Amino acid sequence: DAGITQSPRHKVTETGTPVTLRCHQTENHRYMYWYRQDPGHGLRLIHYSYGVKDTDKGEVSDGYSVSRSKTEDFLLTLESATSSQTSVYFCAISGTERNTEAFFGQGTRLTVV
Amino acid sequence: AQSVTQPDIHITVSEGASLELRCNYSYGATPYLFWYVQSPGQGLQLLLKYFSGDTLVQGIKGFEAEFKRSQSSFNLRKPSVHWSDAAEYFCAVVRGRGGSYIPTFGRGTSLIVHP
């Protein structure tokens, strides 16, 4: 299995509080992604990174920010959590070639109450 | 814009029956196509991929998929389904964006296997 660790695995938080999810890889892959998975929507891209300090927005980036200060770590922050951000969050990594697959973490189940 | 469509939200089959999960894509150039499987509570695992060459590709767990450019399709098949195949299946295409490669996923098809 690819070395990807997401933390925490489960979190319950209150509306309006900040939340940070962490993705750590040991594969030295260039690309890292954050997706959210919701019933009926599949996986939707929040943000991605193509290198240290290089990030860009995905299709559902509103309310989220990211940072990548080291190759191995990609942080997703909800500045002020809302109930609509209750979801399962997946981190994924991939190499530099377009035909390489993405490897996924185990996911973080976030509940905003 | 590039997109992936999985027209079936749920598919129910009996154990031992054949399976076909549909995937259609829209993309102007040669697509890079993938199928992933997600077991409950788990992340996604690659089943197979296609980017060039033989249009019939073999994957893990006895799955195969056929790329048909004329139909913009990349359907997943298995000749005989096992109960352990019950899972969520995602088709994906990798698109280029400003020099980066972004996996874009369909909404998924949930496979239910009856004994």
Side-chain angles (χ1 to χ4, degrees), chain A residues 9 30-31 33 35 37 40-43 45 48 50 56-59 90 94-107, chain B residues 2 27 30-32 34 36 38 41-46 49 51 88 90 94-97 99-108:
Chain A
R9 292 291 314 280
R30 176 183 177 189
Y31 291 99
Y33 313 89
Y35 292 89
Q37 183 176 23
H41 292 277
L43 283 90
L45 183 67
Y48 68 98
Y50 47 96
D56 204 349
K57 296 179 179 180
E59 59 183 306
F90 285 97
S94 69
T96 56
E97 299 300 320
R98 188 176 178 186
N99 61 349
T100 57
E101 66 265 35
F103 298 94
F104 283 81
Q106 294 295 296
Chain B
Q2 185 169 322
Y27 189 54
T30 301
Y32 287 65
F34 302 76
Y36 292 84
Q38 182 184 32
Q42 301 295 314
L44 278 68
Q45 178 187 18
L46 179 74
K49 61 183 178 182
F51 55 94
E88 190 89 15
F90 292 93
V94 170
R95 59 184 173 94
R97 178 180 174 182
S100 296
Y101 299 132
I102 311 297
T104 301
F105 292 85
R107 296 189 174 190

Side-chain angles (χ1 to χ4, degrees), chain A residues 37-43, chain B residues 6 8-10 21 35-45 47 76 84-91 106-112:
Chain A
Q37 183 176 23
D38 304 287
H41 292 277
L43 283 90
Chain B
Q6 295 181 245
D8 304 306
I9 297 175
H10 302 284
L21 302 183
W35 274 101
Y36 292 84
V37 60
Q38 182 184 32
S39 298
Q42 301 295 314
L44 278 68
Q45 178 187 18
L47 283 175
L76 182 70
S84 60
D85 293 324
E88 190 89 15
Y89 291 81
F90 292 93
C91 182
R107 296 189 174 190
T109 298
S110 178
L111 175 64
I112 301 165

Side-chain angles (χ1 to χ4, degrees), chain A residues 7-76:
Chain A
S7 58
R9 292 291 314 280
H10 302 272
K11 187 171 182 65
V12 179
T13 192
E14 293 185 350
T15 299
T17 60
V19 177
T20 296
L21 309 183
R22 180 179 183 242
C23 178
H24 177 79
Q25 63 151 326
T26 58
E27 306 297 318
N28 200 36
H29 279 344
R30 176 183 177 189
Y31 291 99
M32 299 186 76
Y33 313 89
W34 277 108
Y35 292 89
R36 60 177 290 173
Q37 183 176 23
D38 304 287
H41 292 277
L43 283 90
R44 293 180 291 175
L45 183 67
I46 305 171
H47 283 279
Y48 68 98
S49 170
Y50 47 96
V52 174
K53 299 189 188 307
D54 292 323
T55 65
D56 204 349
K57 296 179 179 180
E59 59 183 306
V60 290
S61 60
D62 287 348
Y64 301 94
S65 63
V66 290
S67 65
R68 192 173 179 192
S69 59
K70 298 184 291 184
T71 299
E72 57 266 35
D73 290 325
F74 192 33
L75 304 181
L76 176 70

Side-chain angles (χ1 to χ4, degrees), chain B residues 45-65:
Chain B
Q45 178 187 18
L46 179 74
L47 283 175
L48 47 78
K49 61 183 178 182
Y50 170 82
F51 55 94
S52 68
D54 193 347
T55 56
L56 183 64
V57 293
Q58 303 297 319
I60 63 172
K61 304 183 181 186
F63 286 91
E64 67 178 25

